[in-house]
């Protein structure tokens, strides 16, 4: 898979794009945020924040792998379709 070049390769930008991908996949299924969250086993508020690319206000999301796999199954898309198609700069990522 070819990775795109981007000007902003921060973890924050990566999280925001992941959130956009979640939103697009969810709207394609016609499911509500609450329904996706319920089916994936996470809180509705948590999923709402994920679509914004956040975990807490001002903090980029960093969901567990199990959560991402669950969301991909609920949204019926391969995990790779949820992930942005570029690599973030992890050296600058918050831990």
């Amino acid at each position: 898979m070819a990775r795109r070049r981007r000007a902003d390769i921060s973890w924050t930008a990566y999280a925001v794009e992941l959130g956009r991908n979640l939103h697009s996949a969810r709207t394609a299924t016609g499911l509500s945020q609450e329904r996706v969250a319920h089916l994936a086993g996470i809180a509705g508020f948590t999923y709402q924040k994920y679509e914004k690319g956040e975990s807490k206000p001002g903090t980029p999301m960093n969901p567990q792998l199990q959560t991402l796999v669950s969301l991909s199954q609920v949204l019926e898309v391969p995990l790779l379709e949820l992930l942005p198609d570029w690599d973030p700069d992890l050296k600058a990522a918050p831990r």
Side-chain angles (χ1 to χ4, degrees), residues 1-2 16 29 35 43 47 54-56 65 72-73 75 80:
M1 176 151 104
V16 168
T29 65
R35 187 70 181 141
Y47 182 77
E54 299 179 337
S55 61
K56 297 183 278 186
L65 180 58
S72 76
Q73 291 174 355
L75 296 169
L80 285 176

Side-chain angles (χ1 to χ4, degrees), residues 3 6 9-10 12 14-15 33 42 48-51 53-54 77 84 86-88:
R3 307 304 265 179
R6 292 182 50 105
I9 59 170
S10 68
T12 300
Y14 191 84
Q33 289 179 333
I42 60 175
Q48 290 172 3
K49 299 302 283 179
Y50 282 175
E51 281 197 7
E54 299 179 337
V77 296
W86 51 276
D87 296 326

Side-chain angles (χ1 to χ4, degrees), residues 18-91:
L18 173 56
R20 287 185 191 128
N21 294 346
L22 286 168
H23 174 80
S24 295
R26 180 183 60 79
T27 56
T29 65
L31 296 173
S32 69
Q33 289 179 333
E34 278 296 319
R35 187 70 181 141
V36 170
H38 174 75
L39 292 172
I42 60 175
F45 181 74
T46 299
Y47 182 77
Q48 290 172 3
K49 299 302 283 179
Y50 282 175
E51 281 197 7
K52 294 179 182 178
E54 299 179 337
S55 61
K56 297 183 278 186
T59 304
M61 74 165 149
N62 192 6
Q64 294 183 357
L65 180 58
Q66 183 175 356
T67 301
L68 287 174
V69 170
S70 181
L71 288 168
S72 76
Q73 291 174 355
V74 168
L75 296 169
E76 299 179 352
V77 296
L79 179 58
L80 285 176
E81 283 188 28
L82 294 178
L83 300 176
D85 64 354
W86 51 276
D87 296 326
D89 179 4
L90 294 179
K91 292 177 287 223

